[in-house]
């Protein structure tokens, strides 16, 4: 146990500031969660955190697109879920478990391989057990919004012990 006060913003800022080692010229993802490693999200970079906000830069790689080079829509939700979880966590006053309750996704413009997209998540509202977080996907070159994802987040009783076998 530590005497340090609980500060989720400072903890996330340490992740942003950390020097990620390179392997074959790309960031080493060995410490990333299993789904991040499996999806090969090396084009996603954490850039800024403050209370109720979390920003990323996403350089879209071809393996996340359809045959025509446009991003597969479910990938947008995965990226939003990542940003929203960090934004929501910055509103916590103590260590707590939370989970996505639902998502509403609106697509305005396609995103394609090679695009650099600014992904900005911010908490719209937070109550004792539920929060609403919005994520905007903004094409850096054009400045236009490509998608908006609104998510509901809830506090849960989650066991982080060993996963069940099977």
């Amino acid at each position: 146990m530590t005497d340090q006060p609980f500060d989720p913003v400072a903890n996330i800022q340490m992740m942003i500031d950390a020097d990620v080692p390179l392997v074959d010229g790309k960031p080493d993802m060995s410490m990333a969660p299993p789904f991040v490693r499996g999806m090969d999200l090396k084009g996603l970079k954490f850039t800024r955190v403050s209370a109720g906000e979390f920003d990323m830069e996403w350089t879209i790689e071809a393996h996340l697109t359809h045959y025509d080079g446009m991003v597969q829509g479910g990938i947008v939700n995965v990226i939003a879920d990542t940003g929203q979880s960090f934004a929501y966590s910055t509103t916590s006053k103590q260590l707590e478990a939370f989970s996505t309750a639902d998502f509403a996704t609106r697509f305005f413009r396609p995103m394609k391989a090679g695009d650099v997209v600014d992904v900005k998540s911010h908490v719209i509202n937070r109550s004792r057990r539920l929060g609403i977080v919005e994520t905007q996907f903004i094409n850096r070159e054009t400045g236009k919004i490509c998608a908006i994802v609104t998510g509901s987040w809830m506090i849960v009783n989650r066991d982080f012990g060993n996963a069940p076998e099977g």
Side-chain angles (χ1 to χ4, degrees), residues 81-93:
D81 189 74
T82 300
Q84 289 187 17
S85 68
F86 281 109
Y88 188 72
S89 73
T90 67
T91 64
S92 297
K93 302 206 182 329

Side-chain angles (χ1 to χ4, degrees), residues 43-105:
L44 190 62
K45 178 181 176 188
F46 298 173
T47 57
R48 189 184 72 83
V49 63
S50 64
E53 299 179 343
F54 185 74
D55 296 348
M56 299 177 286
E57 173 185 286
W58 182 27
T59 302
I60 299 171
E61 296 178 292
H63 72 278
L64 300 174
T65 65
H66 291 288
Y67 295 113
D68 62 0
M70 300 301 167
V71 170
Q72 195 279 336
I75 303 300
V76 171
N77 284 323
V78 169
I79 302 297
D81 189 74
T82 300
Q84 289 187 17
S85 68
F86 281 109
Y88 188 72
S89 73
T90 67
T91 64
S92 297
K93 302 206 182 329
Q94 62 189 19
L95 190 59
E96 59 189 356
F98 49 87
S99 185
T100 313
D102 72 6
F103 270 145
T105 305

Side-chain angles (χ1 to χ4, degrees), residues 22-52:
L22 300 178
V23 175
D24 296 327
K26 294 186 177 184
D28 178 11
M29 302 296 281
S30 63
M31 296 302 292
F35 83 93
V36 172
R37 291 192 311 266
M39 292 182 68
D40 194 16
L41 295 175
K42 291 184 183 109
L44 190 62
K45 178 181 176 188
F46 298 173
T47 57
R48 189 184 72 83
V49 63
S50 64

Side-chain angles (χ1 to χ4, degrees), residues 42-48 54-61 64-65 69-72 75-77 79-80 83 106-121 135-149:
K42 291 184 183 109
L44 190 62
K45 178 181 176 188
F46 298 173
T47 57
R48 189 184 72 83
F54 185 74
D55 296 348
M56 299 177 286
E57 173 185 286
W58 182 27
T59 302
I60 299 171
E61 296 178 292
L64 300 174
T65 65
M70 300 301 167
V71 170
Q72 195 279 336
I75 303 300
V76 171
N77 284 323
I79 302 297
R106 291 163 191 88
F107 295 98
F108 302 105
R109 291 173 182 80
M111 293 174 270
K112 63 184 182 317
D115 285 353
V116 177
V117 178
D118 292 313
V119 183
K120 300 177 177 289
S121 297
T135 302
Q136 294 187 350
F137 291 76
I138 304 164
N139 182 297
R140 183 170 292 168
E141 183 179 334
T142 66
K144 294 185 177 182
I145 295 176
C146 299
I148 295 177
V149 179

